[in-house]
Structures are given as C-alpha cells and as structure tokens.
C-alpha cells in the first residue's frame, strides 16, 4: 500500500430504567483497534437532558466527553461490565459503541500542482485562476491535529478554538496546518480569504479516539452558529478509522446543522464504505488523484465517493512556519472544503446542495484508473480555459 496521509461512568448502581423489549446493542467498529473498557453511549434523540445527566452520574468514572448536539446526545467514558449491562437496559439508550483509535499517516515528497489543476481543463498548467472574492465571508473548521495559527500564510485569519486530544493547544504534527493551508492560506489555499478555525482531535503522533473526534464534531455543530460567517461554513475532516455508526451519526449532525462537510475517502485502496466518516452519505467524500490525472494508488473508491481532487505531492503550510509536500486523501479533501468555501463566497449554491454542485461543475471522465461504480468527477472551479 502507498503510505499516505489521511488523515480515541457512575459511584452508585444505575437508577432503575424503564423496561425495554431488548437490550441496546453494543457495536464494535469493524477492523478497528478498540480501546478496552471505553465506550460511546448514544442516547435516543428524544431523551431528556436529565436522563443523560442521570446516566452519566450513575457511572463510577467521570465521563471523558459529553455530547449535546441535536443529532448526537450521549457521553463517552470507562464502563465496567455491570455498568455496560445496566446502560444496555436503559430505555433512553439507542446504542453503545466501543471506543477505538483514529490515526493519520504521512509521507514527504516534492511537487506543487493541485491548485492549478482546480482551474484548468487539462493537466500540466501552473496557473490557478479564481475569482478574487476567494471565500471572503466564509469560515472553515479544520477537525485535525490543530493549526499553527502564527504561520504568516494565514495572515491572522486562523484561530485555535478547541482541543479534544491533549493539553497542547498547537499543532505538534503538521498535518492540520497543511490541511488548513490548502483550504485557505495566501499562497497554497483554494479560498484565500476564508477564516480558519482549529478543532484539535488528534495528538502530535496523529492519533486520537473516536470519542474525542466525536467531541470535536459535536463542538463544531454547536459553535458555528455563533461565529461571524455570513456567507456560510465548511468543515474538513482529513482523518478516518474503521466504519463507526457513532462517528457517521456525528458527521450527519454537522450537515444537519447547515454546514458543508468534506471528508477524506481513506488511503487503504479499498471501498470507502468500510471507513468512517467517509461512509456517511450526507458528507462530501473525496478521493485523491495524481499530477498525471490518475486515481492515486492508495485512494479509496466506491459509490460513497462523491468527488475526486488532487492528493499526491501537495505542497502547503507546515507547523514550523515553512511548507511541506505530502500525499493522501487528506490532501484531496481540503481542496474540496476550500472549493466549497469559494463557491459559498460567490453565492453559487446553497450549502445543502453544495456537494452536488461541486460534482456538477467537475470535469467528467478526466481521471484514469477509476473503478466502475466510482464517480469519475475531477473538481474544477469553473474557470477552466
């Protein structure tokens, strides 16, 4: 496989719950590295806040995260076997999913071509043509390893908002800074005037948990309405793990909040339906291409992939104030998040149909090696000559 970027309660017994016909299911993400004794408890949509709080207080360990968005209510934390069984019998619990590890992978190579491809009808151009509005009035959340906000390429438009990975409010990895640069940096960005927000869910090694990722997603779904983003909001998730109902439902919650969500298809050269959040239908799932207009050998594929974008040998900002060139569907996804912000700035499409609009304006049949059943649509900003 081509290594590329893609980028984890109760002192007394639970109060007696209402009777239910069958226990709530306990799910395990397929093929994931699960975390022993750690679980994500998804409450039903109509569960009252006091029911959620009672369930949290009935567990002996403190909750690691509490989720409060309309789409995803619940909590994550350590559960004993007895506590797990009691929660399964709680009428207000929809399901329980074992927590699992989420990671990114990166390689360093040399090239710079992705931006030019977005505004060209043929490969080989070195010119990026775009409307000077450049995403002004939009905001872009980067759910990742953080952002080095002091990078001069961000021109003061990047802010660190939240951290669900560790105690270090910076990007110790570089991945999140690279992603943010492709979305909206001065030189390497698609939408050069968007406002960038860092939501850290992965640590300096590029690792995190599903529970922490969901906490970041829940934060974004609630925070966006309070920000000054008159033209709209995009969200990028250049990360993934094995298929997870909880992660997918949290992704749907971001879309439900009226935000555009671009996600990396994954780097396993397999069907993206086996990965989350790539398999969430309401997200805009992005596969990766090369400078020669081939589907990248590592890129996931399949019917859940909505659009293709440059992903191999992409130069962008790095966490030491310089730049770096790396590869992966992690690099493809921010091209689409940036393009989403660019189109929102132009009032080209409502946010709820933005992924379809990006596919509609894409170049059809331009990429070689795309399997049957995968959309052969290469993103384009409509400025092709």
């Amino acid at each position: 496989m081509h290594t590329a970027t893609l980028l984890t309660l109760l002192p007394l017994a639970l109060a007696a719950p209402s009777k239910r016909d069958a226990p709530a299911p306990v799910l395990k993400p397929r093929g994931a590295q699960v975390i022993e004794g750690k679980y994500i408890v998804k409450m039903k949509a109509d569960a009252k806040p006091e029911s959620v709080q009672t369930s949290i207080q009935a567990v002996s360990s403190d909750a690691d995260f509490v989720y409060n968005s309309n789409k995803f209510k619940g909590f994550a934390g350590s559960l004993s076997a007895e506590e797990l069984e009691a929660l399964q019998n709680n009428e207000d619990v929809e399901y329980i999913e074992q927590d699992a590890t989420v990671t990114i992978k990166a390689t360093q190579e040399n090239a710079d071509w992705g931006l030019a491809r977005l505004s060209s009808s043929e490969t080989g151009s070195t010119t990026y043509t775009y409307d000077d509005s450049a995403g002004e009035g939009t905001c872009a959340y980067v759910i990742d390893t953080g952002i080095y906000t002091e990078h001069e390429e961000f021109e003061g438009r990047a802010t660190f908002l939240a951290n669900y990975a560790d105690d270090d409010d910076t990007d110790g990895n570089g991945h999140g800074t690279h992603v943010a640069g492709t979305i909206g940096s001065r030189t390497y960005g698609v939408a050069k005037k968007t406002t960038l927000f860092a939501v850290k869910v992965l640590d300096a090694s590029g690792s995190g948990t599903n529970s922490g990722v969901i906490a970041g997603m829940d934060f974004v779904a609630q925070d966006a309405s309070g920000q000054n983003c008159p033209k709209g909001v995009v969200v990028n998730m250049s990360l993934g793990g094995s298929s997870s109902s909880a992660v997918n439902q949290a992704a749907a919650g971001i879309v439900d909040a009226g935000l555009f969500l671009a996600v990396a298809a994954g780097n396993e050269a397999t069907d993206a339906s086996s990965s989350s959040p790539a398999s969430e239908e309401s997200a805009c799932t992005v596969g990766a291409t090369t400078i020669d207009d081939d589907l990248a050998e590592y890129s996931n594929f399949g019917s859940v992939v909505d659009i293709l974008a440059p992903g191999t040998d992409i130069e962008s900002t790095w966490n030491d104030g310089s730049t770096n060139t790396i590869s992966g569907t992690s690099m493809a996804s921010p091209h689409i998040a940036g393009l989403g912000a660019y189109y929102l700035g132009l009032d080209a499409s409502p946010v709820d149909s933005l992924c379809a609009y990006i596919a509609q304006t894409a170049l059809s049949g331009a990429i070689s090696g795309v399997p049957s059943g995968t959309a052969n649509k290469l993103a384009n900003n409509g400025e092709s000559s």
Side-chain angles (χ1 to χ4, degrees):
M1 182 186 75
H2 181 104
T3 305
T5 306
L6 229 174
L7 302 150
T8 101
L9 294 170
L10 308 149
L12 302 173
L14 286 170
S18 303
K19 296 288 185 182
R20 56 186 298 157
D21 294 335
V26 177
L27 310 178
K28 287 190 176 183
R30 289 178 294 174
Q33 182 182 340
V34 297
I35 303 171
E36 192 66 32
K38 292 282 192 178
Y39 296 90
I40 300 162
V41 181
K42 171 67 171 62
M43 308 296 287
K44 293 179 179 177
D46 59 357
K48 296 185 182 301
E50 52 266 30
S51 175
V52 179
Q53 194 60 34
T54 298
S55 297
I56 294 171
Q57 291 173 344
V59 177
S60 57
S61 299
D62 291 337
D64 294 331
F65 304 103
V66 178
Y67 312 122
N68 294 309
S69 67
N70 289 335
K71 194 78 174 182
F72 202 98
K73 296 179 182 177
F75 63 97
S78 300
L79 300 178
S80 68
E82 293 77 14
E83 291 165 345
L84 178 62
E85 182 179 1
L87 282 165
Q88 283 186 269
N89 290 311
N90 186 328
E91 182 68 26
D92 287 332
V93 172
E94 182 178 343
Y95 62 82
I96 302 169
E97 181 171 297
Q98 190 157 9
D99 204 356
T101 300
V102 179
T103 60
I104 57 173
K105 308 175 188 72
T107 59
Q108 183 171 348
E109 300 178 49
N110 296 304
D112 183 19
W113 61 279
L115 271 183
R117 193 67 186 94
L118 282 189
S119 65
S120 305
S121 59
E122 302 287 343
T123 188
S125 174
T126 58
T127 301
Y128 175 49
T129 305
Y130 63 98
D131 188 274
D132 191 51
S133 57
E136 189 169 12
T138 68
C139 298
Y141 286 83
V142 180
I143 302 177
D144 211 290
T145 62
I147 299 175
Y148 176 54
T149 58
E150 299 304 310
H151 202 300
E152 63 180 12
E153 278 283 329
F154 296 134
E155 305 173 303
R157 291 178 286 109
T159 303
F160 203 111
L161 285 190
N163 187 344
Y164 298 96
D166 53 29
D167 297 322
D168 183 17
D169 288 350
T170 187
D171 180 8
N173 180 280
H175 185 271
T177 301
H178 194 282
V179 166
T182 301
I183 294 172
S185 67
R186 177 182 59 203
T187 302
Y188 306 98
V190 179
K192 302 177 185 298
K193 296 179 182 178
T194 192
T195 297
L196 296 157
F197 295 138
V199 178
K200 185 175 183 177
V201 298
L202 304 175
D203 62 19
S205 69
S207 181
T209 62
N210 278 347
S211 57
V213 170
I214 292 169
M217 298 164 80
D218 186 60
F219 168 82
V220 170
Q222 297 185 73
D223 182 74
S225 62
Q227 297 291 346
N228 181 26
C229 315
K231 289 287 190 174
V233 174
V234 302
V235 182
N236 188 81
M237 295 186 69
S238 287
L239 54 81
S242 298
S243 181
S244 163
S245 297
V247 170
N248 280 6
Q249 198 157 6
I254 289 176
V255 177
D256 234 26
L259 317 181
F260 174 72
L261 175 61
V263 302
N267 297 331
E268 294 75 36
T270 190
D271 197 300
S273 63
S274 63
S275 177
S276 288
S279 56
E280 169 51 43
E281 291 186 3
S282 63
C284 200
T285 302
V286 189
T289 66
T290 73
I291 193 171
D292 296 320
D293 277 355
D294 294 322
L295 185 71
E297 62 180 352
Y298 53 81
S299 180
N300 285 356
F301 49 82
S303 61
V304 300
V305 175
D306 297 290
I307 191 74
L308 305 176
T312 298
D313 294 334
I314 303 300
E315 184 176 5
S316 186
T317 47
W318 202 243
N319 63 343
D320 59 0
S322 67
T323 65
N324 198 6
T325 301
I326 55 177
S327 301
T329 55
S330 275
M331 285 54 263
S333 184
H335 281 91
I336 299 304
L339 188 57
Y342 176 79
Y343 278 140
L344 288 176
L346 288 172
D347 296 319
S349 169
V351 67
D352 59 357
S353 57
L354 186 53
C355 188
Y357 182 80
I358 290 172
Q360 175 188 328
T361 57
L363 303 179
S364 296
I367 303 303
S368 300
V370 178
S372 175
T374 302
N376 193 332
K377 297 276 190 176
L378 178 63
N380 189 275
N381 70 357
E383 298 290 342
S384 296
S385 55

